[in-house]
Amino acid sequence: MGVLGLHNECPPTNYSTDEAAEITEGLVADAVATAATLRSVRDTMDALAALDDTVRYVVEASGTAVSPTGDVDPDKVTSAMKQVSSTYDACFRALDGTVGQIDLAVGQYQSLQAYATAALAKGRDECYEQTLRQLGEGGFTGMAQARISRLRKLRVRVQLLQNMEKYGHTILANYDFNAFFMMFMQPMRDLALASQDLYNEVVRGALVAYDVLVRVCDLNPSEAAAAGISE
């Protein structure tokens, strides 16, 4: 299984050829989905960092560019505004591929729900499914749906911020810094919360997978001891 994967089948070393091919397909889909999910979180973190850099240079342009006598230093303002433009652009370039990554992850998680149903029908993954249900997760389908829901929420946050890019350039070009802060504080906060929520969901799924690792993969006692796992 993947390091932070949602699905919970072990490497197909003790299965028939047909089942091994099927399990491999599921593991690959899970790895693709998880990687795309984590890249989406990474993109939003890069965007938020760039926007915080923008805030820094906006403050410098509006505050430290003024001399002790109250006179405006045009050179300092120009220098700071170049940095504002550069970091502001970097925020949105970090998000250029994020919606695509989210859509990729959603598609893979949707297909994995059908895969999990087929696996259960063949007697595989029963331990994992029961553990999820005992934890109130609604089984694999419930957990996959939770992941999809959070991905879609993040997509809305990303697209909202992207729609603000052009207007942000306009208010910065007009040195309307108050409007800039008022416009971007809430979307930045919402994007950060959605990213954190999605990442926490990834880790939560991984913890459940780890909890049933020994029972599902049937590690022998020496392997479990080497991994520091107790049954």
Side-chain angles (χ1 to χ4, degrees):
M1 69 188 71
V3 177
L4 292 177
L6 177 58
H7 197 47
N8 193 255
E9 296 230 51
C10 292
T13 55
N14 297 313
Y15 295 93
S16 66
T17 300
D18 289 345
E19 277 199 306
E22 185 179 293
I23 293 169
T24 297
E25 182 179 344
L27 289 171
V28 169
D30 182 39
V32 170
T34 304
T37 298
L38 293 173
R39 288 191 177 98
S40 300
V41 173
R42 174 206 62 192
D43 290 349
T44 59
M45 292 298 102
D46 285 345
L48 289 167
L51 207 50
D52 269 328
D53 284 336
T54 303
V55 169
R56 165 197 168 185
Y57 291 117
V58 164
V59 172
E60 289 184 357
S62 61
T64 60
V66 179
S67 71
T69 62
D71 297 325
V72 175
D73 186 331
D75 291 336
K76 287 186 177 181
V77 173
T78 300
S79 176
M81 288 307 295
K82 285 181 179 178
Q83 295 293 338
V84 167
S85 179
S86 176
T87 55
Y88 182 78
D89 285 341
C91 166
F92 292 94
R93 300 297 69 79
L95 298 173
D96 280 343
T98 309
V99 170
Q101 291 290 339
I102 290 172
D103 289 343
L104 173 61
V106 168
Q108 294 296 313
Y109 285 131
Q110 287 173 332
S111 67
L112 276 168
Q113 292 174 75
Y115 170 83
T117 299
L120 284 169
K122 295 180 180 180
R124 303 196 312 266
D125 260 4
E126 291 180 351
C127 182
Y128 188 46
E129 180 74 8
Q130 291 305 316
T131 300
L132 290 175
R133 292 189 178 280
Q134 290 167 8
L135 293 173
E137 300 291 350
F140 181 84
T141 296
M143 185 166 261
Q145 284 294 325
R147 190 76 54 92
I148 289 170
S149 175
R150 285 164 173 79
L151 281 161
R152 287 175 171 162
K153 181 177 180 179
L154 182 62
R155 179 171 57 195
V156 170
R157 302 305 186 199
V158 168
Q159 290 175 319
L160 175 62
L161 191 61
Q162 288 174 321
N163 288 336
M164 298 170 63
E165 180 179 5
K166 185 176 180 180
Y167 182 66
H169 273 298
T170 299
I171 58 179
L172 287 172
N174 292 329
Y175 300 94
D176 191 352
F177 299 140
N178 286 336
F180 176 80
F181 284 112
M182 292 298 294
M183 279 288 296
F184 282 92
M185 283 181 66
Q186 175 97 26
M188 284 177 67
R189 187 204 68 174
D190 291 346
L191 183 67
L193 290 174
S195 299
Q196 182 185 36
D197 195 27
L198 178 59
Y199 181 72
N200 288 344
E201 175 63 32
V202 172
V203 173
R204 189 165 62 95
L207 289 174
V208 175
Y210 183 82
D211 183 59
V212 296
L213 174 64
V214 176
R215 286 170 287 171
V216 173
C217 286
D218 194 25
L219 294 178
N220 64 44
S222 63
E223 290 172 323
I229 302 171
S230 58
E231 296 192 44

